[in-house]
Amino acid sequence: MTRLLCPMDMDTGTGTDSGDVVPFHAETRLLQLGSLSIWPGAMRQPMRCRRTPRLIRQSDPENYHLSLPMNGSMAVSQAGREAVHRANEMYVVDTSQPYECRVFGGPLRGVGLEVPKSLVPLPAGAVGRLLTRRLPAQDGMGALLGGFLTRLAEDSDAYQAADEQRLETILIDLFTATLASHLDADDDLPPETHHRSLALRIRTFIQHHLHEPDLTPGAIAAAHHISTSHLHALFRDQDLTVSAWIRHQRLEHARRDLADRAQYAAPVHCIAARWGFTHHAAFTRAFTASYGLSPRDYRHQAHGTRSSDTGPTELRLLGTAV
């Protein structure tokens, strides 16, 4: 754990100096999705891990670490705050700041997630307000994130190497949207933070509705109870307009599906329609203009150069110590 996650002091948390032998058994798996790490694990006894200033100076991956307990209880403290979390109560800590985590008496089972801070488009100071706070995994955006993490942990063998990039993108979006939803609920946040949170929610909304042909700026604005001009203003700091960003996302999803070996038999026009393109000729022109090849030629080239699928990288670790 200290080598694969970040340097930590770890012990059974019993606080005894008697020298008694204390059995300890735990197991974890590491599922790597691009720059993200997912850690399904379980332990039978209490334990404690501490991230100290000395260990931070030794090595810092600069990640946000999210924990989702599925059963059992654990306490975490960081940035002068402490909270106890039970089943389906997620929390986030920052590996660049000291923290302590304690697992209580009974068995604990859960999932951890490591996300590089550089991939989270929210102000670090705003995220700092959420450290150690309870983030429910049973409603709202938290339910989507918790359900997605749980499914990945329980069924990782169902995914192939071609799925890795899109799973990484979805997970980053869900993680960021969950944080943004809690930040947006804080009335005393500065306007620029609300602005970023709204922009993120809108981008997430667009991702989830790309398949709908009538996904227009007007429909997006109405779904978020804002004017169309306000929507366009939110995208002014982007390289693309709202409509251009929608088209780009649709083309990217179609391109990934065309390169997916498991979807080789799917007709090109069906893949186009899946991502909101109602006119095959228009899709072909847009795809060719963006990628330099027709959809059919791109598919042939992709499958002619791809190696065999191996699935997301996974490492299984079992440990028993006394």
Side-chain angles (χ1 to χ4, degrees):
M1 288 289 291
T2 59
R3 285 186 291 110
L4 297 174
L5 175 56
C6 62
M8 293 181 293
D9 287 332
M10 305 178 71
D11 57 52
T12 58
T14 58
T16 178
D17 296 321
S18 64
D20 293 340
V21 173
V22 181
F24 183 82
H25 177 86
E27 63 180 67
T28 188
R29 294 161 41 232
L30 171 61
L31 177 63
Q32 199 74 42
L33 291 177
S35 56
L36 308 184
S37 300
I38 302 170
W39 303 74
M43 59 191 67
R44 300 176 186 173
Q45 294 86 11
M47 70 165 292
R48 175 177 58 184
C49 60
R50 289 172 291 180
R51 180 94 166 121
T52 66
R54 175 183 59 84
L55 294 174
I56 292 172
R57 290 192 298 269
Q58 176 181 326
S59 175
D60 182 16
E62 298 187 358
N63 287 339
Y64 289 124
H65 168 79
L66 178 137
S67 284
L68 168 59
M70 297 177 181
N71 65 275
S73 299
M74 55 199 310
V76 62
S77 59
Q78 186 173 58
R81 298 189 295 271
E82 181 171 356
V84 175
H85 300 268
R86 297 176 176 81
N88 294 310
E89 293 179 347
M90 301 181 292
Y91 71 83
V92 173
V93 293
D94 182 345
T95 65
S96 302
Q97 300 182 41
Y99 66 84
E100 179 173 324
C101 178
R102 301 190 309 278
V103 176
F104 300 127
L108 176 77
R109 184 172 60 91
V111 182
L113 170 67
E114 310 300 318
V115 181
K117 292 189 286 185
S118 61
L119 298 182
V120 180
L122 294 171
V127 177
R129 299 167 65 102
L130 299 178
L131 299 179
T132 77
R133 276 178 49 173
R134 295 185 183 91
L135 308 176
Q138 292 181 307
D139 52 56
M141 292 302 304
L144 294 177
L145 174 59
F148 192 72
L149 274 176
T150 302
R151 179 65 182 270
L152 280 175
E154 294 177 347
D155 198 21
S156 59
D157 291 339
Y159 304 103
Q160 302 178 1
D163 301 319
E164 183 173 327
Q165 184 178 2
R166 68 186 70 131
L167 290 174
E168 179 188 22
T169 300
I170 292 171
L171 197 48
I172 291 172
D173 285 345
L174 287 176
F175 176 78
T176 308
T178 297
L179 298 186
S181 67
H182 286 275
L183 290 172
D184 203 42
D186 290 343
D187 294 334
D188 57 343
L189 282 178
E192 60 269 18
T193 301
H194 286 293
H195 176 94
R196 293 189 187 190
S197 298
L198 177 58
L200 177 65
R201 290 205 311 274
I202 288 173
R203 286 194 291 271
T204 303
F205 176 88
I206 291 173
Q207 291 281 6
H208 291 163
H209 293 81
L210 284 174
H211 62 283
E212 299 175 6
D214 57 351
L215 183 67
T216 63
I220 296 167
H224 291 83
H225 310 290
I226 61 175
S227 66
T228 305
S229 60
H230 188 182
L231 174 66
H232 288 302
L234 290 171
F235 275 75
R236 280 176 188 159
D237 59 346
Q238 307 293 320
D239 294 333
L240 300 173
T241 64
V242 180
S243 297
W245 195 80
I246 293 172
R247 184 171 59 253
H248 173 72
Q249 291 300 312
R250 283 173 167 166
L251 287 170
E252 271 294 289
H253 283 77
R255 181 186 65 81
R256 293 175 187 176
D257 285 356
L258 288 169
D260 186 354
R261 187 179 299 277
Q263 301 186 56
Y264 186 79
V268 172
H269 71 273
C270 291
I271 290 177
R274 178 188 305 160
W275 296 112
F277 291 99
T278 55
H279 301 288
H280 182 63
F283 166 70
T284 299
R285 287 194 299 269
F287 190 97
T288 304
S290 294
Y291 303 109
L293 291 171
S294 70
R296 191 176 304 277
D297 289 342
Y298 179 86
R299 167 181 268 177
H300 290 323
Q301 184 182 82
H303 291 290
T305 57
R306 286 173 57 87
S307 60
S308 60
D309 291 333
T310 58
T313 304
E314 182 174 331
L315 173 67
R316 299 174 183 267
L317 303 171
L318 298 172
T320 301
V322 294

